[in-house]
Each structure stands twice: as structure tokens, then as C-alpha cells.
Amino acid sequence: MFHWRIVAFIIFFFTVYKCWQERYNVFYYINCNYIMMLSVSNQREPDSVMEYRNKRFGRTEVIDNTLNPDFVRKFVLDYFFEEKQNLRFDVYNVDSRSSNISKHSFLGQTFCTLGEIIGSSGSRLERVLSGIPGKKCGNIIFTAEELSNCRDIATMQLCANKLDKKDFFGKSDPFLVFYRSNEDGTFTICHKTEVIKNTLNPVWQPFTIPVRALCNGDYDRTVKVDVYDWDRDGSHDFIGEFTTSYRELSRGQSQFNVYEVLNPKKKGRKKKYVNSGTVTLLSFKVESEYTFVDFIRGNPSQPTSLHYMNPYQLNAYAMALKAVGEIIQDYDSDKLFPAYGFGAKLPPDGKISHAFPLNSDCENANCVGIEGVLEAYYDCLRKVQLYGPTNFAPVINQVAQCASEVTDGSQYFVLLIITDGVISDMVQTREAVVTAASLPMSVIIVGVGPAEFDAMEELDGDEVRVSSRGRVAERDIVQFVPFRDYIDRSGNQVLSMARLAKDVLAEIPDQLLSFMKSRGIEPRPALCPSPTPQINVHL
């Protein structure tokens, strides 16, 4: 099932809305106070059923005195590829302070599906507003972007110094507008500060913004900030702009976060132009926004976690490592095992990784013996934050790269994957398995916990070989077993481990022989220092 977190960035570009009064016989431009409503219909009936069963999803903030509102509020929707998710957008002119939408003037509406927005070129869809007979209501533009899993919240405060004077009878009424850059090079508004009246040296109140709204988890993505002088009629005067990034802001108050406010037009006209003032970051703080799920799973210190470090017995991960590793390590001459983790946030910046060394040594991921692997595993649990999704392709490709460098039969690689998650990158994993099937390697997957592992069976090619993009795997190299099928009812861990090891390792000899035979490789003479191929175990 496709299940993507999508945020829809709603931007309106209206054709000029005109009306006239007969006694003057001239056109007037109406400045509207716009608000937009989103209704969602989870319609599951056939397309012939025309009725929408709408559920009001939310509304934007009100934008005063403009014909081209640029809304800050975004709508976060769950996207399901296999479902038709109908959306209706209604636009109103706010006539009073009433929260009752029927008290305001209806300006137009449009219908579309979430799939239409996402499937459009650049995930950008433009539609004409309709609903008022005989009148052009304007256009509406939708853009969508997949949200990152980042749930951090940033709180910051800024001030400015010596901004340009814009008001004839006063100074300026400055405010800031933050834009985050999109993947197509455009910018989307993500925050507006409050207006500070009649000053060239404003100090804005601290504000809080989700990090994913500021940069969508990409810490180096450009953040553009415009500085404006507020005007009552909505025609705010542009003072200048500057750019930064989340990574720069996260440094906090320093010389790196004092920004020159530049006005390109003034810079082009005046030779002696320096800047239109400066903006300084006064403070910056990041906190994690936790959810209920964070407290009930993924915490190794909680007994409910499959990674729980019980001082009296091994957890399921450690049992699987020990059961398989203690047998297969006898065939590894140097007893050095590269051990990797996947699906975790790593310190110090919380970056998600799907192939990181358990011993934290990026230059040498080897652990000495299975006991060394277990020690690195326990130590790693204290440092990283467990996180999804469950991606297999990166670590399979990493071992495949090592195996591709030694295809003369002198070495054979065994990758042991232990997971409690339903695989998230099946397409990429199938591709990785098909590629790896032509190399001297095997993959053992042990599923721990109560999850449904139906998709894993697809990778185990006992009956049907794995295929990807028209290519069929040259050999069956994957063996998958759910650990729960081997747990002894009496609680005897030694017996459980013996049963598991026997089953998952049973196919390794045949898989090794199938590779040697396919390459015409014969056993080396008994007098050779290495009469048998070395088996390299990756965990």
C-alpha cells in the first residue's frame, strides 16, 4: 500500500475581480479578505456515484486586502495511491468576524483529487474557480510535496537594525516573511512574523515553526526571508531580502547569523548602496515533538520493545544474532564481522540512516566475533533513536558491492538481516536481490516480533524466483523465516536458537555450490593454503 504524507501548498493567483456601479459607469477593483476552505471526501463508490460525502477538513487564515492571497497555512493529508481522494476548495471574502462561513461572501470553488495534484508535472496543478454564474472567479494553483519524517520543532527570535524608512510621516512598520525553497527551484511561504509599528530597529516576538515546514528535513535547503513595511491597504513596501538555511540558523546567535538585508533594485540604481539594514538571529532552539507511538514502541529501555535489554535474558534480536552467528563464524577465517544497523536517527544531527556501522566507525565496521557484534549492538542502542521506514536495499547493495570485487571463488558473503518491520522499499529491494543473485553471496532474513511478513515471502525464491524490471534472479539467494515459529514453548532459549540456526543455514551450502557451478569454479587442491572458500559474514 502506498502511504505517503503529503502537504498541499495552496497558492492563489486570481484574475482581477471587477464590478461596476451604474451611476459612475467606471470599474472598481475590489480588495478582498480571502479565506479558503478545504473539504475532503473519502469516496469509495464507483465513479458513477456523483454525490460527494464531504467532510470539512480545515480553513486557512484570512489574508486582508489583496486580490492575490498567498496563504501560510498548509493542509497535511495522508495520500493513498490506491484510493480516490476527492477534494473541494471553497473561497470566501470575509465580511465580518463571524466564524460561521455562511455569513461571508462566496467567491468560487473547484474540485479535484489528491492524485491529480500529485500526478501533475512538478506536483503543480492549476484550476479555474467557478460557482458564480456569468463571472470569472479567478484561478487557483495547488502544489504538493512529500513530507519528511522530521518532527522537530524550531523556536527562534530575530531583530533588525537600521532598516530603510518607508513611511512618509513615520519610519516603517516592518515584518518578516519566510519562504522555503521547493525541489523545482520555486519558493513557498512558510511563516510571517507580526508587524512592529513605527520603528527601524524592530525586535520580533519568538515564534515556533516545524522544521519540516522550514526545510522538509533538508538542513541545507535555502530559506529566503523578505523584509516588508506593512501598509493598511495591503500594498506592503519591499525593504529587502536575505537567505539562510536551517543548518546556519541552528548555530544560534553568532556572527554567522547577522544578515544584510539587500534590495536588488536599489543596489542596481545606487553605486554607494550598502544595504537596507541588517537582521540578527537572537536565539534558536530545537525540540522534538513526540507522539504516542514514540512512547509505546522503539524505546529499548521499555519492556514492550523488541530491543529491550533485559539483564537476565537475550532479546529476540540478540538471540537471532547469536544463533546464526555462532555457527557460521566457524567458516570465517579472521572472525571479523562487518555489522550495520538500519532505520535509525544518528547523532548529532538526527539524520536517518539505512546502513550505519554498529560500532560507529565509518572507516571500519568490523566487530571481533559474534560477542563483539552483540556488544556493538547493545552500545548502539544507547546512542541512536530507532526510526522507520524499513529499507533493505541500501544494506543489500552495500554487501553486493563487496562481493562484486571478489568473484574468483575465494570468498563467499552471507548477509544476515534481522528486522521487526514490514519492508518499505520492496521495489528497490527486489532490484537489489536480482543484482546480488549473480554474485557470491546469500541473504538470510529473520523476522522478529508480531508483524505481518507476507512481503518477505516474495523475496524467498524457493517457489518463484525474484524478478525486477523484466530480469529474473539468476539464483535463489534469500532465505526468510519468522523467529516466532521457532520459539520453544517452555521458554528454553538455547533450544529456540538451535531450531532457528538449523533452518536458516540449511540452504547456504546449496547456494554456495550453485554459484561455484555457474561460474565453473572448482575446489582448490588440498595442498593450497586456502582449500575452501572463505565465508564472509555481514550482519
Side-chain angles (χ1 to χ4, degrees):
M1 175 186 290
F2 287 87
H3 185 181
W4 297 337
R5 298 287 296 179
I6 300 294
V7 57
F9 302 115
I10 311 303
I11 307 171
F12 294 86
F13 297 98
F14 289 107
T15 55
V16 177
Y17 186 88
K18 302 176 182 179
C19 72
W20 62 91
Q21 297 182 4
E22 293 182 356
R23 58 178 177 173
Y24 292 114
N25 198 29
V26 295
F27 287 95
Y28 285 86
Y29 293 87
I30 299 179
N31 279 339
C32 296
N33 303 321
Y34 283 111
I35 188 173
M36 190 273 295
M37 305 287 297
L38 168 61
S39 298
V40 177
S41 168
N42 291 323
Q43 178 178 312
R44 296 176 183 269
E45 294 89 347
D47 291 340
S48 58
V49 179
M50 299 303 294
E51 178 187 1
Y52 272 77
R53 292 178 172 87
N54 288 305
K55 176 182 178 182
R56 181 173 294 175
F57 187 83
R59 64 172 70 183
T60 65
E61 77 280 14
V62 178
I63 304 294
D64 294 333
N65 298 321
T66 181
L67 297 175
N68 301 288
D70 192 356
F71 291 102
V72 175
R73 165 102 190 263
K74 313 300 185 295
F75 295 116
V76 181
L77 304 173
D78 287 329
Y79 171 53
F80 300 92
F81 175 80
E82 70 279 7
E83 295 182 11
K84 185 176 183 179
Q85 296 171 271
N86 295 303
L87 307 177
R88 188 185 84 191
F89 297 88
D90 297 331
V91 184
Y92 292 85
N93 178 39
V94 176
D95 299 318
S96 68
R97 295 184 177 180
S98 174
S99 59
N100 188 341
I101 201 66
S102 64
K103 302 294 184 182
H104 306 294
S105 302
F106 176 71
L107 296 178
Q109 67 180 191
T110 192
F111 299 85
C112 67
T113 67
L114 187 54
E116 284 182 286
I117 300 175
I118 295 168
S120 300
S121 177
S123 295
R124 184 181 187 275
L125 178 68
E126 182 170 356
R127 284 290 171 85
V128 175
L129 286 170
S130 61
I132 302 179
K135 291 202 174 182
K136 293 182 179 180
C137 301
N139 297 334
I140 181 172
I141 295 175
F142 312 96
T143 61
E145 186 174 18
E146 182 180 358
L147 284 178
S148 74
N149 287 322
C150 178
R151 295 201 301 268
D152 291 343
I153 302 294
T155 301
M156 68 183 88
Q157 184 178 21
L158 299 101
C159 70
N161 187 43
K162 296 182 180 179
L163 295 177
D164 285 352
K165 177 179 178 297
K166 291 292 185 179
D167 293 340
F168 186 77
F169 292 109
K171 296 179 180 178
S172 288
D173 304 320
F175 68 96
L176 303 177
V177 181
F178 285 73
Y179 302 86
R180 71 98 168 269
S181 58
N182 301 318
E183 294 177 356
D184 62 357
T186 61
F187 287 90
T188 297
I189 187 171
C190 58
H191 181 74
K192 288 181 183 178
T193 67
E194 78 279 14
V195 176
I196 306 295
K197 295 291 187 71
N198 197 31
T199 180
L200 302 180
N201 303 289
V203 179
W204 290 281
Q205 291 294 319
F207 67 90
T208 298
I209 183 172
V211 171
R212 67 185 184 190
L214 191 66
C215 66
N216 203 23
D218 181 355
Y219 294 169
D220 295 308
R221 183 179 292 202
T222 298
V223 176
K224 184 167 76 78
V225 184
D226 287 350
V227 186
Y228 285 97
D229 167 45
W230 178 84
D231 286 328
R232 187 179 300 275
D233 63 1
S235 59
H236 311 306
D237 297 319
F238 178 72
I239 295 177
E241 65 185 10
F242 63 92
T243 60
T244 182
S245 67
Y246 173 85
R247 194 176 299 278
E248 282 189 7
L249 292 169
S250 63
R251 296 177 180 177
Q253 187 178 23
S254 66
Q255 71 271 22
F256 298 106
N257 285 320
V258 178
Y259 302 97
E260 286 191 290
V261 178
L262 300 176
N263 188 320
K265 290 185 178 179
K266 291 186 67 173
K267 188 175 181 179
R269 290 197 311 262
K270 298 182 179 181
K271 293 183 179 180
K272 295 184 179 181
Y273 176 79
V274 177
N275 58 50
S276 294
T278 59
V279 169
T280 300
L281 179 69
L282 295 177
S283 64
F284 188 90
K285 181 177 68 174
V286 178
E287 296 177 326
S288 295
E289 184 182 52
Y290 296 112
T291 67
F292 173 73
V293 176
D294 291 324
F295 289 98
I296 64 172
R297 64 176 293 191
N299 185 348
S301 65
Q302 297 296 322
T304 52
S305 172
L306 293 169
H307 292 280
Y308 178 55
M309 293 180 283
N310 191 321
Y312 304 108
Q313 63 181 14
L314 299 173
N315 63 32
Y317 278 85
M319 287 175 64
L321 275 171
K322 195 173 179 67
V324 178
E326 285 189 342
I327 292 178
I328 206 167
Q329 72 175 343
D330 291 340
Y331 301 92
D332 190 308
S333 60
D334 61 12
K335 303 297 185 290
L336 296 178
F337 303 117
Y340 297 90
F342 59 97
K345 282 186 173 182
L346 307 184
D349 57 4
K351 184 178 180 180
I352 299 173
S353 175
H354 296 292
F356 59 91
L358 291 185
N359 63 5
S360 302
D361 188 347
C362 295
E363 300 298 326
N364 183 9
N366 288 327
C367 300
V368 180
I370 293 304
E371 292 303 321
V373 174
L374 288 171
E375 182 180 347
Y377 163 64
Y378 287 129
D379 185 57
C380 182
L381 286 177
R382 301 183 182 96
K383 298 177 180 178
V384 306
Q385 179 187 349
L386 305 180
Y387 216 77
T390 304
N391 292 345
F392 282 4
V395 71
I396 293 176
N397 288 331
Q398 186 158 327
V399 176
Q401 177 60 38
C402 297
S404 68
E405 298 172 0
V406 189
T407 58
D408 61 356
S410 62
Q411 297 187 41
Y412 193 84
F413 296 76
V414 177
L415 170 61
L416 171 62
I417 299 176
I418 306 173
T419 179
D420 65 348
V422 178
I423 190 167
S424 303
D425 64 341
M426 180 57 79
V427 173
Q428 293 86 349
T429 298
R430 280 201 302 265
E431 178 75 13
V433 169
V434 170
T435 300
S438 63
L439 300 171
M441 67 177 286
S442 294
V443 181
I444 298 172
I445 304 174
V446 179
V448 298
E452 292 297 329
F453 295 113
D454 293 348
M456 302 293 188
E457 302 287 355
E458 182 182 339
L459 299 177
D460 193 327
D462 286 342
E463 298 180 3
V464 180
R465 291 281 177 85
V466 180
S467 62
S468 174
R469 301 181 183 179
R471 292 194 303 151
V472 178
E474 182 179 319
R475 301 181 297 127
D476 171 23
I477 65 167
V478 178
Q479 170 75 342
F480 166 76
V481 295
F483 192 22
R484 57 177 175 252
D485 292 353
Y486 300 88
I487 297 177
D488 182 68
R489 293 182 179 180
S490 66
N492 188 326
Q493 287 196 344
V494 175
L495 187 56
S496 299
M497 292 161 59
R499 289 173 177 172
L500 174 70
K502 180 179 179 181
D503 229 22
V504 299
L505 295 175
E507 294 185 9
I508 296 297
D510 285 342
Q511 291 175 357
L512 184 149
L513 289 173
S514 70
F515 173 79
M516 300 301 177
K517 184 177 180 179
S518 68
R519 297 298 183 274
I521 300 174
E522 297 181 357
R524 297 186 178 186
L527 295 178
C528 178
S530 299
T532 58
Q534 175 183 334
I535 295 180
N536 290 298
V537 184
H538 290 247
L539 305 170

